[in-house]
PDB file of all heavy atoms in Angstrom:
ATOM      1  N   PHE A 168     -11.531  10.839 -12.184  1.00 93.00           N
ATOM      2  CA  PHE A 168     -10.435  11.386 -11.381  1.00 93.00           C
ATOM      3  C   PHE A 168      -9.974  10.326 -10.385  1.00 93.00           C
ATOM      4  O   PHE A 168     -10.788   9.744  -9.670  1.00 93.00           O
ATOM      5  CB  PHE A 168     -10.907  12.643 -10.656  1.00 93.00           C
ATOM      6  CG  PHE A 168      -9.813  13.421  -9.986  1.00 93.00           C
ATOM      7  CD1 PHE A 168      -8.936  14.191 -10.726  1.00 93.00           C
ATOM      8  CD2 PHE A 168      -9.674  13.397  -8.615  1.00 93.00           C
ATOM      9  CE1 PHE A 168      -7.937  14.925 -10.110  1.00 93.00           C
ATOM     10  CE2 PHE A 168      -8.682  14.119  -7.979  1.00 93.00           C
ATOM     11  CZ  PHE A 168      -7.808  14.886  -8.736  1.00 93.00           C
ATOM     12  N   ASP A 228     -12.718  23.319 -13.496  1.00 95.00           N
ATOM     13  CA  ASP A 228     -11.557  22.898 -12.709  1.00 95.00           C
ATOM     14  C   ASP A 228     -11.937  22.203 -11.402  1.00 95.00           C
ATOM     15  O   ASP A 228     -11.062  21.705 -10.697  1.00 95.00           O
ATOM     16  CB  ASP A 228     -10.682  24.109 -12.366  1.00 95.00           C
ATOM     17  CG  ASP A 228     -10.017  24.692 -13.606  1.00 95.00           C
ATOM     18  OD1 ASP A 228      -9.691  23.918 -14.528  1.00 95.00           O
ATOM     19  OD2 ASP A 228      -9.837  25.926 -13.646  1.00 95.00           O
ATOM     20  N   ARG A 230     -12.787  19.500  -8.815  1.00 97.00           N
ATOM     21  CA  ARG A 230     -12.480  18.064  -8.774  1.00 97.00           C
ATOM     22  C   ARG A 230     -13.248  17.349  -7.659  1.00 97.00           C
ATOM     23  O   ARG A 230     -13.618  16.201  -7.811  1.00 97.00           O
ATOM     24  CB  ARG A 230     -10.972  17.856  -8.591  1.00 97.00           C
ATOM     25  CG  ARG A 230     -10.152  18.325  -9.787  1.00 97.00           C
ATOM     26  CD  ARG A 230     -10.460  17.509 -11.034  1.00 97.00           C
ATOM     27  NE  ARG A 230      -9.778  18.028 -12.222  1.00 97.00           N
ATOM     28  CZ  ARG A 230     -10.345  18.831 -13.112  1.00 97.00           C
ATOM     29  NH1 ARG A 230     -11.611  19.222 -12.948  1.00 97.00           N
ATOM     30  NH2 ARG A 230      -9.682  19.254 -14.159  1.00 97.00           N
ATOM     31  N   LEU A 231     -13.456  18.017  -6.529  1.00 97.00           N
ATOM     32  CA  LEU A 231     -14.217  17.415  -5.438  1.00 97.00           C
ATOM     33  C   LEU A 231     -15.101  18.464  -4.783  1.00 97.00           C
ATOM     34  O   LEU A 231     -14.743  19.643  -4.728  1.00 97.00           O
ATOM     35  CB  LEU A 231     -13.308  16.831  -4.348  1.00 97.00           C
ATOM     36  CG  LEU A 231     -12.389  15.667  -4.682  1.00 97.00           C
ATOM     37  CD1 LEU A 231     -10.974  16.182  -4.868  1.00 97.00           C
ATOM     38  CD2 LEU A 231     -12.420  14.624  -3.576  1.00 97.00           C
ATOM     39  N   THR A 369      -4.329  28.262  -1.786  1.00 94.00           N
ATOM     40  CA  THR A 369      -3.391  28.799  -2.765  1.00 94.00           C
ATOM     41  C   THR A 369      -2.782  27.687  -3.595  1.00 94.00           C
ATOM     42  O   THR A 369      -2.979  26.503  -3.327  1.00 94.00           O
ATOM     43  CB  THR A 369      -2.251  29.568  -2.063  1.00 94.00           C
ATOM     44  OG1 THR A 369      -1.387  28.619  -1.414  1.00 94.00           O
ATOM     45  CG2 THR A 369      -2.796  30.550  -1.041  1.00 94.00           C
ATOM     46  N   GLY A 370      -2.006  28.101  -4.573  1.00 92.00           N
ATOM     47  CA  GLY A 370      -1.296  27.128  -5.389  1.00 92.00           C
ATOM     48  C   GLY A 370      -0.239  26.358  -4.630  1.00 92.00           C
ATOM     49  O   GLY A 370       0.304  25.372  -5.135  1.00 92.00           O
ATOM     50  N   SER A 371       0.062  26.779  -3.404  1.00 93.00           N
ATOM     51  CA  SER A 371       1.015  26.059  -2.552  1.00 93.00           C
ATOM     52  C   SER A 371       0.378  24.898  -1.805  1.00 93.00           C
ATOM     53  O   SER A 371       1.064  24.179  -1.075  1.00 93.00           O
ATOM     54  CB  SER A 371       1.637  27.025  -1.533  1.00 93.00           C
ATOM     55  OG  SER A 371       2.314  28.080  -2.175  1.00 93.00           O
ATOM     56  N   ALA A 372      -0.936  24.720  -1.949  1.00 96.00           N
ATOM     57  CA  ALA A 372      -1.640  23.667  -1.211  1.00 96.00           C
ATOM     58  C   ALA A 372      -1.067  22.292  -1.555  1.00 96.00           C
ATOM     59  O   ALA A 372      -0.706  22.014  -2.702  1.00 96.00           O
ATOM     60  CB  ALA A 372      -3.126  23.699  -1.539  1.00 96.00           C
ATOM     61  N   ASP A 373      -0.996  21.442  -0.537  1.00 96.00           N
ATOM     62  CA  ASP A 373      -0.502  20.077  -0.711  1.00 96.00           C
ATOM     63  C   ASP A 373      -1.590  19.100  -0.250  1.00 96.00           C
ATOM     64  O   ASP A 373      -1.748  18.840   0.935  1.00 96.00           O
ATOM     65  CB  ASP A 373       0.776  19.869   0.103  1.00 96.00           C
ATOM     66  CG  ASP A 373       1.389  18.480  -0.109  1.00 96.00           C
ATOM     67  OD1 ASP A 373       0.736  17.621  -0.741  1.00 96.00           O
ATOM     68  OD2 ASP A 373       2.517  18.260   0.376  1.00 96.00           O
ATOM     69  N   PHE A 374      -2.356  18.597  -1.202  1.00 96.00           N
ATOM     70  CA  PHE A 374      -3.352  17.559  -0.946  1.00 96.00           C
ATOM     71  C   PHE A 374      -2.946  16.264  -1.648  1.00 96.00           C
ATOM     72  O   PHE A 374      -3.765  15.555  -2.236  1.00 96.00           O
ATOM     73  CB  PHE A 374      -4.739  18.027  -1.396  1.00 96.00           C
ATOM     74  CG  PHE A 374      -5.312  19.116  -0.522  1.00 96.00           C
ATOM     75  CD1 PHE A 374      -5.368  20.427  -0.972  1.00 96.00           C
ATOM     76  CD2 PHE A 374      -5.766  18.827   0.752  1.00 96.00           C
ATOM     77  CE1 PHE A 374      -5.876  21.439  -0.164  1.00 96.00           C
ATOM     78  CE2 PHE A 374      -6.273  19.830   1.571  1.00 96.00           C
ATOM     79  CZ  PHE A 374      -6.336  21.133   1.110  1.00 96.00           C
ATOM     80  N   SER A 375      -1.645  15.969  -1.560  1.00 95.00           N
ATOM     81  CA  SER A 375      -1.120  14.782  -2.238  1.00 95.00           C
ATOM     82  C   SER A 375      -1.642  13.493  -1.626  1.00 95.00           C
ATOM     83  O   SER A 375      -1.536  12.427  -2.246  1.00 95.00           O
ATOM     84  CB  SER A 375       0.415  14.797  -2.191  1.00 95.00           C
ATOM     85  OG  SER A 375       0.890  14.975  -0.864  1.00 95.00           O
ATOM     86  N   VAL A 377      -4.719  12.947  -1.242  1.00 95.00           N
ATOM     87  CA  VAL A 377      -5.971  12.677  -1.963  1.00 95.00           C
ATOM     88  C   VAL A 377      -5.672  11.994  -3.285  1.00 95.00           C
ATOM     89  O   VAL A 377      -6.303  10.997  -3.650  1.00 95.00           O
ATOM     90  CB  VAL A 377      -6.759  13.978  -2.212  1.00 95.00           C
ATOM     91  CG1 VAL A 377      -8.020  13.707  -3.020  1.00 95.00           C
ATOM     92  CG2 VAL A 377      -7.098  14.657  -0.891  1.00 95.00           C
ATOM     93  N   THR A 378      -4.705  12.530  -4.010  1.00 92.00           N
ATOM     94  CA  THR A 378      -4.398  12.006  -5.339  1.00 92.00           C
ATOM     95  C   THR A 378      -2.983  12.404  -5.728  1.00 92.00           C
ATOM     96  O   THR A 378      -2.466  13.431  -5.279  1.00 92.00           O
ATOM     97  CB  THR A 378      -5.390  12.544  -6.385  1.00 92.00           C
ATOM     98  OG1 THR A 378      -5.105  11.990  -7.662  1.00 92.00           O
ATOM     99  CG2 THR A 378      -5.323  14.065  -6.482  1.00 92.00           C
ATOM    100  N   ALA A 379      -2.376  11.574  -6.559  1.00 88.00           N
ATOM    101  CA  ALA A 379      -1.096  11.937  -7.168  1.00 88.00           C
ATOM    102  C   ALA A 379      -1.299  12.400  -8.600  1.00 88.00           C
ATOM    103  O   ALA A 379      -0.348  12.705  -9.310  1.00 88.00           O
ATOM    104  CB  ALA A 379      -0.150  10.742  -7.134  1.00 88.00           C
ATOM    105  N   GLU A 380      -2.564  12.470  -9.007  1.00 83.00           N
ATOM    106  CA  GLU A 380      -2.886  12.784 -10.399  1.00 83.00           C
ATOM    107  C   GLU A 380      -2.790  14.262 -10.705  1.00 83.00           C
ATOM    108  O   GLU A 380      -2.519  14.661 -11.830  1.00 83.00           O
ATOM    109  CB  GLU A 380      -4.311  12.279 -10.713  1.00 83.00           C
ATOM    110  CG  GLU A 380      -4.726  12.457 -12.165  1.00 83.00           C
ATOM    111  CD  GLU A 380      -6.112  11.901 -12.428  1.00 83.00           C
ATOM    112  OE1 GLU A 380      -7.079  12.648 -12.252  1.00 83.00           O
ATOM    113  OE2 GLU A 380      -6.214  10.729 -12.803  1.00 83.00           O
ATOM    114  N   ALA A 381      -3.053  15.125  -9.703  1.00 87.00           N
ATOM    115  CA  ALA A 381      -3.108  16.554  -9.952  1.00 87.00           C
ATOM    116  C   ALA A 381      -2.841  17.315  -8.668  1.00 87.00           C
ATOM    117  O   ALA A 381      -2.910  16.763  -7.569  1.00 87.00           O
ATOM    118  CB  ALA A 381      -4.485  16.939 -10.502  1.00 87.00           C
ATOM    119  N   SER A 382      -2.525  18.617  -8.808  1.00 93.00           N
ATOM    120  CA  SER A 382      -2.396  19.501  -7.654  1.00 93.00           C
ATOM    121  C   SER A 382      -3.761  20.103  -7.350  1.00 93.00           C
ATOM    122  O   SER A 382      -4.441  20.608  -8.251  1.00 93.00           O
ATOM    123  CB  SER A 382      -1.387  20.612  -7.953  1.00 93.00           C
ATOM    124  OG  SER A 382      -0.096  20.063  -8.151  1.00 93.00           O
ATOM    125  N   LEU A 383      -4.143  20.053  -6.078  1.00 96.00           N
ATOM    126  CA  LEU A 383      -5.463  20.515  -5.667  1.00 96.00           C
ATOM    127  C   LEU A 383      -5.350  21.681  -4.699  1.00 96.00           C
ATOM    128  O   LEU A 383      -4.361  21.823  -3.987  1.00 96.00           O
ATOM    129  CB  LEU A 383      -6.240  19.382  -4.990  1.00 96.00           C
ATOM    130  CG  LEU A 383      -6.463  18.106  -5.794  1.00 96.00           C
ATOM    131  CD1 LEU A 383      -7.147  17.053  -4.928  1.00 96.00           C
ATOM    132  CD2 LEU A 383      -7.290  18.388  -7.041  1.00 96.00           C
ATOM    133  N   MET A 384      -6.390  22.503  -4.649  1.00 97.00           N
ATOM    134  CA  MET A 384      -6.513  23.572  -3.666  1.00 97.00           C
ATOM    135  C   MET A 384      -7.986  23.778  -3.361  1.00 97.00           C
ATOM    136  O   MET A 384      -8.856  23.461  -4.180  1.00 97.00           O
ATOM    137  CB  MET A 384      -5.897  24.877  -4.181  1.00 97.00           C
ATOM    138  CG  MET A 384      -6.532  25.403  -5.449  1.00 97.00           C
ATOM    139  SD  MET A 384      -5.810  26.956  -6.049  1.00 97.00           S
ATOM    140  CE  MET A 384      -6.570  28.124  -4.938  1.00 97.00           C
ATOM    141  N   ILE A 385      -8.273  24.276  -2.170  1.00 98.00           N
ATOM    142  CA  ILE A 385      -9.654  24.604  -1.822  1.00 98.00           C
ATOM    143  C   ILE A 385     -10.009  25.934  -2.468  1.00 98.00           C
ATOM    144  O   ILE A 385      -9.290  26.923  -2.331  1.00 98.00           O
ATOM    145  CB  ILE A 385      -9.836  24.689  -0.298  1.00 98.00           C
ATOM    146  CG1 ILE A 385      -9.532  23.340   0.353  1.00 98.00           C
ATOM    147  CG2 ILE A 385     -11.252  25.136   0.056  1.00 98.00           C
ATOM    148  CD1 ILE A 385      -9.562  23.365   1.877  1.00 98.00           C
ATOM    149  N   VAL A 411     -13.199  21.805  -3.906  1.00 98.00           N
ATOM    150  CA  VAL A 411     -11.775  21.621  -4.171  1.00 98.00           C
ATOM    151  C   VAL A 411     -11.551  21.610  -5.671  1.00 98.00           C
ATOM    152  O   VAL A 411     -12.177  20.833  -6.397  1.00 98.00           O
ATOM    153  CB  VAL A 411     -11.259  20.311  -3.542  1.00 98.00           C
ATOM    154  CG1 VAL A 411      -9.785  20.106  -3.857  1.00 98.00           C
ATOM    155  CG2 VAL A 411     -11.495  20.323  -2.029  1.00 98.00           C
ATOM    156  N   GLY A 412     -10.693  22.471  -6.124  1.00 96.00           N
ATOM    157  CA  GLY A 412     -10.374  22.539  -7.544  1.00 96.00           C
ATOM    158  C   GLY A 412      -8.948  22.141  -7.786  1.00 96.00           C
ATOM    159  O   GLY A 412      -8.123  22.072  -6.877  1.00 96.00           O
ATOM    160  N   GLU A 413      -8.694  21.860  -9.016  1.00 93.00           N
ATOM    161  CA  GLU A 413      -7.326  21.516  -9.402  1.00 93.00           C
ATOM    162  C   GLU A 413      -6.616  22.854  -9.321  1.00 93.00           C
ATOM    163  O   GLU A 413      -7.005  23.783 -10.025  1.00 93.00           O
ATOM    164  CB  GLU A 413      -7.319  20.850 -10.772  1.00 93.00           C
ATOM    165  CG  GLU A 413      -6.058  20.140 -11.105  1.00 93.00           C
ATOM    166  CD  GLU A 413      -6.195  19.237 -12.310  1.00 93.00           C
ATOM    167  OE1 GLU A 413      -7.317  18.952 -12.724  1.00 93.00           O
ATOM    168  OE2 GLU A 413      -5.142  18.842 -12.827  1.00 93.00           O
ATOM    169  N   THR A 414      -5.076  23.322  -9.647  1.00 84.00           N
ATOM    170  CA  THR A 414      -4.649  24.549  -8.983  1.00 84.00           C
ATOM    171  C   THR A 414      -5.712  25.034  -8.321  1.00 84.00           C
ATOM    172  O   THR A 414      -6.170  25.928  -8.735  1.00 84.00           O
ATOM    173  CB  THR A 414      -3.371  24.694  -9.238  1.00 84.00           C
ATOM    174  OG1 THR A 414      -2.909  23.524  -8.460  1.00 84.00           O
ATOM    175  CG2 THR A 414      -2.494  25.700  -9.254  1.00 84.00           C
TER     176      THR A 414
END
Side-chain angles (χ1 to χ4, degrees):
F168 190 75
D228 292 327
R230 293 296 174 263
L231 296 102
T369 72
S371 300
D373 184 351
F374 290 106
S375 52
V377 177
T378 182
E380 184 178 88
S382 296
L383 302 175
M384 60 180 282
I385 298 175
V411 178
E413 196 167 345
T414 293

